Amino acid sequence: MGRPLVGVLALQGDVREHARALAECGADFSAVRRESELSEVDGLVIPGGESTTMSRLLDTFELLEPVRKRIADGMPAYGSCAGMILLAREVLDGRPDQHQLGGLDITVRRNAFGRQVDSFEEDVELTGVDGGPVRAVFIRAPWVESASPEVEVLATVPEVPGAGSAAGRIVAVRQGAKLATAFHPELTGDTRVHRLFVEMVRAAA
Ligand code: GLN
């Protein structure tokens, strides 16, 4: 295929940063706010922001079931931070009424890092991404508490001073055409994670 059309769920969160990274990776970008826009994209990025707010807006914009359906039907999806929370099958420390989009057989703990620190940065080795570690920026981030055997663990927090109870925690996963990171590669100018996702979109098309 030529340039895949990758949507970014544009209800809330850091949409523009993802759009820029996708463009650098040879994808066309579309802001997704309605079902007609969703139906056109080859893959969807769910940005960082606030998962409870995005969950509510998915209802308001009547996108909850359409996005769930496309995800279940195999559309590639990449969630960063709040996006990882939305793609998870189960959330700990979420709001009881917050919706899940599904797609990843993982349980995440919301605001897991935030109990000690609001944000944390570290170099993290990422399976599937060549050229050395990526700078992982965690902002009130979740971590993956548990993952089913079908889920490939791509990254864990290294055992470094400052990592505290986050050391060893799973922070990037892949299951088929679904990818998620607890951190925000869209904020660093390093587009390797987006490149991996664009490759996944191309492979699925
Ligand atoms: N804490 C946020 C949530 O629960 C996620 C933070 C982020 O996306 N940077 O959705």
Side-chain angles (χ1 to χ4, degrees):
M1 85 188 297
R3 292 173 71 88
L5 180 62
V6 179
V8 179
L9 187 67
L11 304 177
Q12 191 252 352
D14 60 345
V15 175
R16 228 173 328 161
E17 291 81 354
H18 282 287
R20 195 176 314 132
L22 289 167
E24 277 183 43
C25 297
D28 286 329
F29 154 81
S30 155
V32 170
R33 283 189 203 85
R34 58 188 83 213
E35 193 174 351
S36 58
E37 292 159 345
L38 175 69
S39 67
E40 286 167 3
V41 299
D42 302 309
L44 185 68
V45 173
I46 303 165
E50 178 51 55
S51 59
T52 54
T53 306
M54 268 189 255
S55 166
R56 192 165 38 75
L57 292 172
L58 280 164
D59 262 340
T60 309
F61 284 74
E62 296 178 348
L63 272 174
L64 180 63
E65 288 313 324
V67 177
R68 275 185 178 155
K69 181 163 189 323
R70 282 222 60 194
I71 284 177
D73 288 348
M75 174 185 66
Y78 165 47
S80 84
C81 202
M84 172 189 257
I85 297 172
L86 283 159
L87 287 176
R89 199 71 66 199
E90 192 189 1
V91 179
L92 306 174
D93 293 342
R95 275 180 53 141
D97 60 350
Q98 108 176 67
H99 302 300
Q100 299 314 120
L101 295 170
L104 285 170
D105 292 319
I106 56 174
T107 298
V108 296
R109 185 173 295 282
R110 202 170 145 246
N111 297 338
F113 290 72
R115 293 180 188 174
Q116 282 95 19
V117 277
D118 252 12
S119 62
F120 171 69
E121 269 189 57
E122 192 49 56
D123 289 336
V124 169
E125 290 287 348
L126 199 61
T127 303
V129 166
D130 293 332
V134 300
R135 189 74 183 160
V137 179
F138 300 94
I139 304 166
R140 293 182 303 108
W143 64 48
V144 178
E145 195 88 13
S146 61
S148 84
E150 292 77 51
V151 175
E152 188 187 358
V153 173
L154 302 183
T156 56
V157 176
E159 315 266 342
V160 291
S165 58
R169 294 292 183 169
I170 301 168
V171 287
V173 292
R174 176 174 177 177
Q175 183 175 8
K178 311 295 191 274
L179 177 71
T181 60
F183 50 88
H184 293 268
E186 74 279 10
L187 299 181
T188 61
D190 179 346
T191 56
R192 286 177 293 163
V193 175
H194 290 81
R195 217 164 278 280
L196 169 64
F197 181 58
V198 171
E199 285 313 311
M200 289 166 60
V201 174
R202 282 213 172 88

